[in-house]
């Protein structure tokens, strides 16, 4: 999981666990790791002798402090140093002290060793609960803000009635006025056009589009721009990528050999098409959860589309040497993704025990688990059994016959329906009670209707998309706000539970959620409401008074400057260079399936070159594309609610040395050389930055080109190649500038 980089406290280093979570894409969040992996082992193996008031050997494991203090033999652990920690040595039976008498399984020792290496992350609440209390939901938990019904609040009254442009603005302005603050002035027209064009399409505006908007003084000029951008196919390619982040889309399976999934692209394109068509969000959800069931109910023309939509579930990560033996982990990944993406809840934290912070029981978890264990997943192939199987035909059963290489999707289907038994400690070999398939108790706990013969996915889809569900609309409107403003109203977009952050503007969040539902779940209507607001159109300027009162801009008194996403940087390079292929992407050139011999020691690895938009790049689950990894692209192995933004030296070196950048700089140089010499520097700035060059920039550019030509001549570069090389070098200076990769 990726989060925005936290701001370090002055004078204090970031904890090791946080650093690992930031820089190791495979590392799980430290708190999740403790709850899912560490706590169950301590509870079963250690607490009987080293908790509940018992201190065998003087050692208590009931708190982090007592663990570090240790017992009669000295400190039990040294944070970050498992090999030097007495606890780990004892568990490994490496030395005189051997605990427990029967050595723990190697996997459990490895988990505890990793815990020590992570810095011994411990729950914020302090000592862990040694005994599991009987699960019950308290009135206080039921009254938690995100579990309460969405209610449309009244629009706040404001003093400056001339500032608001949409219903968003009074909620922002009222809070500012209450603090004696004023919103920033509006952005200039060039800045605003560049901002909204990148926001809605992920591409820079063409110089002609900028000049047309600057010249258009009609009252509805900006609204017309917004409608043009929303109607562009580039809109779905950009906003569909945001959904693919949380769905952790990939073109490979993710198990040890990371087998290719040649049909995965169909789901990717389904998502992009759904955004372009402004498919209502409730329908979008129903199709991804139960599209195969809906497909059988017509209409015929929607059959293939609905089957393909379930790639959302089929794309769950596969695990292990033989994924079939680790299917329970694939179901866990499904539940984790659905819970975080749709509900904004860390449901998967209840796999091994009742959730420690949110009112989600282990019985809740396995009630939902039963729905997905009653679902048939496709098999992508593995080292053990290389032949893929179980892909779903894109034709109804009545039209499918053995005689017809029918096209198939990486999708799910109905399996053998039945409830699932609880896995004690998350171990599928240690079975407990069998809760009936149902939904979360805190949100109603409805069971599947009597007589249900299928998996229950259709009923789950209806429950998730029910307008009365208090979480679904809130979570989605917060995601849309996040991608327009750089930070959500809830700054933990996939955690609306107790461990997440509270909304800065709860009334605004509910206003947006209520409008979203009453407006037919239209995402494009939500875009209009946000980008036409005065809040969105503010400049990204400093204000001394506002900065002192609200340094983090939590009240949104200005627009925050943001770096382009990895895809935005790459697509902008292609667009400005003039080589961007705007055609939709299709399947990838994987080697023929019959030749696959991938193993855990020789896994599938490939990077396929293309001039299409970055959303069409082949996405590997276990080995990220080198460009996307460098610029903080999503982690395909886990749901990514928000991209990290890191600044490292290799990013600057990329613009100097990378062959892709050199290719785009030469393309831009050829575009510039095709025009009249006096206008070339100015045109370069209009293409790269959406504005003309200043007098100083024209002078500096001319000096740079003259010096470059002289240096190239001294290096012996042939005369007929010097001009192109000099202009390409100049283009790279523009590409590497903050103005190119940031949006105001």
């Amino acid at each position: 999981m990726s989060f925005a980089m936290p701001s370090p406290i002055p004078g204090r280093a970031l904890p090791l666990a946080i650093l690992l979570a930031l820089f190791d894409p495979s590392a799980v969040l430290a708190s999740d790791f403790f709850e899912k992996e560490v706590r169950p082992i301590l509870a079963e193996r250690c607490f009987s002798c080293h908790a509940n008031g018992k201190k065998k050997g003087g050692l208590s494991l009931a708190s982090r402090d007592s663990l570090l203090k240790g017992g009669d033999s000295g400190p039990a652990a040294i944070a970050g140093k498992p090999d030097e920690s007495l606890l780990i040595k004892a568990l490994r039976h490496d030395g005189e002290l051997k605990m427990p008498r029967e050595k723990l399984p190697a996997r459990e020792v490895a988990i505890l060793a990793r815990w020590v290496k992570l810095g011994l992350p411990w729950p914020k609440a302090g000592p862990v609960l040694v005994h599991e209390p009987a699960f019950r939901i308290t009135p206080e938990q039921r009254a938690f803000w995100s579990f309460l019904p969405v209610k449309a609040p009244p629009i706040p009254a404001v003093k400056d009635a001339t500032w608001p442009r949409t219903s968003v603005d009074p909620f922002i302005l009222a809070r500012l006025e209450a603090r004696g603050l004023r919103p920033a002035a509006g952005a200039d027209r060039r800045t605003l056009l560049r901002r909204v064009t990148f926001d809605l399409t992920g591409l820079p505006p063409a110089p002609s589009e900028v000049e047309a908007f600057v010249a258009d003084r009609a009252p509805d000029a900006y609204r017309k721009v917004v409608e043009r951008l929303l109607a562009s196919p580039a809109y779905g390619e950009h906003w569909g990528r945001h959904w693919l982040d949380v769905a952790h889309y990939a073109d490979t399976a993710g198990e040890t050999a990371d087998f290719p999934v040649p049909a995965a692209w169909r789901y990717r394109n389904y998502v992009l098409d759904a955004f372009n068509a402004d498919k209502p969000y409730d329908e979008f959800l129903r199709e991804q959860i139960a599209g195969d069931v809906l497909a059988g109910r017509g209409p015929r023309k929607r059959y293939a589309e609905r089957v393909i939509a379930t790639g959302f579930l089929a794309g769950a990560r596969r695990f292990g040497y033989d994924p079939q033996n680790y299917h329970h982990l694939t179901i866990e990944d499904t539940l984790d993704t659905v819970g975080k993406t749709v509900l904004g809840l860390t449901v998967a934290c209840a796999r091994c025990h009742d959730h420690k912070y949110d009112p989600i029981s282990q019985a809740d978890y396995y009630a939902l688990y039963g729905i997905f264990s009653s679902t048939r997943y496709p098999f992508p192939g593995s080292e053990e059994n290389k032949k893929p199987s179980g892909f779903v035909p894109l034709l109804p059963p009545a039209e499918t016959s053995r005689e017809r290489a029918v096209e198939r999707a990486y999708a799910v289907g109905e399996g053998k329906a039945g409830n699932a038994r609880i896995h004690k400690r998350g171990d599928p070999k240690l079975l407990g009670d069998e809760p009936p398939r149902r939904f979360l108790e805190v949100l109603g706990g409805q069971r599947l209707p009597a007589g249900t013969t299928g998996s229950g996915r259709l009923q789950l889809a209806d429950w998730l998309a029910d307008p009365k569900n208090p979480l679904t609309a809130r979570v989605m409107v917060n995601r849309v706000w996040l991608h327009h403003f750089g930070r959500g109203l809830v700054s933990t977009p996939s955690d609306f539970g107790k461990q997440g952050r509270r909304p800065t503007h709860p009334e605004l969040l509910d206003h947006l959620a209520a409008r979203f539902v009453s407006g037919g779940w239209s995402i494009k209507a939500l875009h209009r409401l946000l980008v036409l607001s005065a809040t969105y159109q503010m400049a990204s300027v400093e204000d001394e008074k506002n900065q002192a009162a609200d340094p983090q801009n939590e009240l949104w008194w200005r627009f925050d400057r943001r770096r382009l996403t990895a895809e935005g940087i790459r697509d902008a390079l292609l667009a400005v260079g003039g080589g961007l292929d705007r055609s939709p992407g299709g399947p990838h050139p994987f080697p023929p399936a019959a030749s696959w011999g991938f193993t855990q020691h020789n896994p599938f690895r490939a990077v396929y070159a293309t001039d299409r938009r970055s959303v069409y790049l082949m996405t590997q689950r276990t080995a990220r594309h080198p460009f996307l990894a460098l610029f903080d692209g999503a982690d395909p192995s886990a749901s990514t609610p928000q991209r990290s933004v890191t600044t490292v030296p290799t990013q600057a070196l990329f613009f100097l040395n990378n062959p892709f950048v050199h290719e785009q700089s030469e393309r831009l140089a050829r575009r510039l050389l095709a025009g009249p010499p006096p206008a070339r520097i100015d045109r370069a700035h209009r293409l790269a930055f959406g504005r003309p060059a200043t007098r100083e920039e024209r002078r500096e550019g001319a000096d740079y080109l003259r010096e470059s030509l002289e240096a190239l001549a001294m290096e012996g570069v042939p005369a007929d190649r010097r001009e192109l090389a000099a202009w390409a070098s100049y283009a790279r200076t523009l590409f590497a500038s903050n103005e190119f990769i940031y949006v105001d």
Side-chain angles (χ1 to χ4, degrees):
M1 175 185 301
S2 300
F3 292 96
M5 181 172 296
S7 300
I9 301 173
R12 289 178 58 186
L14 286 172
L16 175 63
I18 298 297
L19 291 172
L20 287 171
L22 287 170
F23 296 112
D24 178 4
S26 66
V28 295
L29 201 61
S31 60
D32 285 353
F33 180 66
F34 181 87
E35 294 297 345
K36 289 182 180 180
E37 305 291 348
V38 177
R39 184 198 293 268
I41 298 173
L42 295 179
E44 180 171 339
R45 307 289 192 179
C46 308
F47 285 166
S48 61
C49 295
H50 299 285
N52 296 320
K54 298 180 180 179
K55 292 186 176 181
K56 191 171 182 179
L59 173 63
S60 170
L61 299 179
S63 72
R64 188 176 190 273
D65 288 342
S66 63
L67 172 64
L68 291 171
K69 181 180 179 182
D72 298 342
S73 301
I78 302 174
K81 298 181 179 180
D83 293 338
E84 299 177 28
S85 296
L86 187 60
L87 172 67
I88 303 304
K89 291 182 178 180
L91 293 174
R92 291 172 175 167
H93 288 199
D94 181 15
E96 295 183 4
L97 187 61
K98 297 178 174 61
M99 295 296 294
R101 290 182 180 178
E102 293 185 7
K103 189 176 181 181
L104 297 187
R107 176 183 175 277
E108 296 185 6
V109 176
I111 287 172
L112 295 177
R114 186 183 179 198
W115 176 50
V116 175
K117 188 173 183 179
L118 284 171
L120 295 164
W122 202 270
K124 294 179 182 177
V128 297
L129 288 173
V130 176
H131 293 300
E132 296 288 341
F135 181 83
R136 69 181 185 89
I137 300 175
T138 66
E140 180 185 14
Q141 289 174 318
R142 291 190 183 278
F144 189 71
W145 74 269
S146 64
F147 300 139
L148 295 176
V150 173
K151 294 183 178 179
I155 303 295
V158 294
K159 298 174 184 177
D160 184 1
T162 65
W163 190 73
R165 298 185 180 183
T166 74
S167 60
V168 168
D169 298 322
F171 291 94
I172 298 297
L173 185 58
R175 292 283 300 278
L176 289 171
E177 289 179 340
R179 296 279 297 274
L181 306 178
R182 286 288 304 164
D188 67 79
R189 293 173 78 84
R190 293 180 187 276
T191 298
L192 181 60
L193 184 71
R194 188 170 188 266
R195 176 191 302 172
V196 75
T197 304
F198 268 116
D199 263 10
L200 291 179
T201 69
L203 293 172
S208 59
E209 294 169 343
V210 177
E211 299 311 318
F213 179 59
V214 170
D216 188 351
R217 292 297 171 176
D220 63 344
Y222 178 58
R223 182 180 290 272
K224 289 188 296 186
V225 165
V226 170
E227 294 303 325
R228 172 176 60 80
L229 296 173
L230 289 174
S232 167
Y235 159 77
E237 292 171 329
H238 179 57
W239 277 85
R241 178 63 257 182
H242 295 320
W243 183 260
L244 296 175
D245 277 14
V246 292
H248 68 65
Y249 169 81
D251 293 295
T252 59
E255 34 63 62
T256 51
D258 207 16
F259 266 54
V261 183
W265 69 273
R266 296 185 187 277
Y267 171 71
R268 176 201 66 202
N269 283 18
Y270 161 83
V271 170
L272 310 189
D273 292 343
F275 273 88
N276 273 328
D278 198 22
K279 187 187 291 286
Y281 183 63
D282 59 340
E283 182 180 353
F284 183 58
L285 288 181
R286 285 189 177 96
E287 290 181 346
Q288 292 180 91
I289 301 296
D292 57 311
V293 182
L294 293 169
R297 302 184 178 189
R300 169 65 180 79
K301 65 180 180 180
R302 301 285 305 282
Y303 189 91
E305 175 187 2
R306 286 175 165 174
V307 168
I308 290 168
T310 65
F312 175 66
L313 303 178
R317 185 171 180 179
R318 310 310 163 93
F319 296 84
Y321 181 80
D322 181 1
Q324 296 292 61
N325 291 330
Y326 295 87
H327 187 57
H328 63 286
L329 296 178
T330 295
I331 296 177
E332 179 197 357
D333 187 67
T334 303
L335 282 167
D336 188 49
T337 301
V338 172
K340 290 176 178 175
T341 298
V342 183
L343 296 173
L345 293 177
T346 55
V347 174
C349 288
R351 178 172 73 95
C352 302
H353 48 70
D354 296 339
H355 202 295
K356 296 303 172 186
Y357 307 106
D358 297 332
I360 303 172
S361 67
Q362 196 176 20
D364 275 335
Y365 180 86
Y366 285 96
L368 293 172
Y369 185 102
I371 294 174
F372 294 108
S373 64
S374 300
T375 298
R376 187 185 72 250
Y377 287 69
F379 178 63
S382 71
E383 181 175 348
E384 280 271 300
N385 181 6
K386 296 178 173 57
K387 186 177 180 181
S389 62
F391 286 40
V392 182
L394 295 181
L395 294 175
E399 301 178 34
T400 304
S401 68
R402 294 180 180 177
E403 290 74 29
R404 297 180 64 186
V406 174
E407 290 187 327
R408 296 173 182 266
Y410 194 56
V412 302
E414 291 287 71
K416 184 179 179 181
N419 300 325
R421 294 176 65 183
I422 289 175
H423 300 174
K424 296 180 179 179
R425 290 187 50 236
D427 188 339
K429 297 178 182 177
L430 301 176
L431 299 179
D433 296 336
E434 182 180 292
R437 284 169 287 161
R438 59 170 176 79
F439 312 132
L440 298 181
E441 184 181 346
V442 73
L443 297 178
Q446 302 93 328
R447 294 190 180 189
L448 298 186
T452 299
T453 57
S455 65
R457 281 185 291 113
L458 181 58
Q459 290 77 12
L460 173 63
D462 287 339
W463 177 75
L464 291 171
D466 189 325
K468 295 180 181 178
N469 190 311
L471 286 166
T472 303
R474 280 182 176 132
V475 169
M476 188 55 183
V477 300
N478 188 64
R479 294 195 192 282
V480 177
W481 179 280
L482 180 159
H483 291 300
H484 279 309
F485 292 92
R487 182 182 70 255
L489 293 166
V490 177
S491 61
T492 51
S494 284
D495 191 353
F496 277 43
K498 188 175 180 180
Q499 290 291 93
R501 296 288 299 274
R502 301 294 182 94
T504 57
H505 294 67
E507 295 84 6
L508 175 55
L509 181 67
D510 272 17
H511 171 73
L512 295 175
R515 283 279 299 259
F516 187 42
V517 174
S518 65
W521 301 84
S522 167
I523 295 175
K524 286 190 176 181
L526 184 59
H527 288 307
R528 294 184 185 98
L529 186 64
L530 298 183
V531 302
L532 292 174
S533 70
T535 304
Y536 180 82
Q537 296 180 57
M538 286 190 289
S540 59
V541 294
E542 298 293 333
D543 181 281
E544 187 174 335
K545 179 181 178 182
N546 289 359
Q547 185 71 26
D550 179 24
Q552 299 301 319
N553 193 28
E554 291 190 349
L555 298 177
W556 275 284
W557 52 267
R558 69 173 180 202
F559 190 88
D560 281 336
R561 175 178 294 166
R562 303 206 311 275
R563 196 183 76 185
L564 295 176
T565 63
E567 292 87 348
I569 294 171
R570 182 180 177 276
D571 292 352
L573 288 169
L574 284 164
V576 173
L580 179 63
D581 181 351
R582 298 291 186 99
S583 64
H588 300 293
F590 292 120
S595 69
W596 292 354
F598 309 117
T599 68
Q600 58 184 323
H601 303 296
N602 182 32
F604 171 75
R605 293 286 185 271
V607 175
Y608 300 129
T610 178
D611 283 342
R612 288 191 174 94
R613 294 200 65 178
S614 302
V615 71
Y616 298 117
L617 290 170
M618 195 275 287
T619 303
Q620 274 204 247
R621 197 169 300 277
T622 61
R624 288 196 288 174
H625 188 283
F627 177 86
L628 301 184
L630 179 60
F631 288 97
D632 307 304
D635 178 2
S637 65
S639 179
T640 302
Q642 189 168 347
R643 303 280 185 93
S644 299
V645 179
T646 62
T647 302
V648 295
T650 47
Q651 293 167 347
L653 293 173
F654 170 86
F655 284 104
L656 292 175
N657 303 318
N658 189 271
F660 174 77
V661 175
H662 277 253
E663 181 182 359
Q664 306 319 312
S665 66
E666 286 195 9
R667 283 175 166 176
L668 176 56
R670 293 183 191 281
R671 290 186 76 180
L672 298 174
L673 290 171
R680 289 172 184 170
I681 291 176
D682 189 69
R683 178 160 174 75
H685 281 71
R686 290 177 186 272
L687 286 166
F689 307 142
R691 63 168 179 81
T694 65
R695 178 181 299 179
E696 181 68 12
E697 287 168 336
R698 290 195 296 271
R699 183 189 63 76
E700 291 176 347
D703 290 344
Y704 180 92
L705 289 163
R706 183 183 64 256
E707 293 170 4
S708 295
L709 288 169
E710 292 172 355
L712 290 166
M714 292 180 64
E715 293 173 6
V717 175
D720 61 343
R721 291 172 49 193
R722 292 174 199 161
E723 189 173 36
L724 178 63
W727 278 96
S729 176
Y730 178 65
R732 288 193 292 278
T733 69
L734 302 182
F735 290 157
S737 68
N738 281 346
E739 188 171 356
F740 183 79
I741 63 175
Y742 281 82
V743 173
D744 284 326

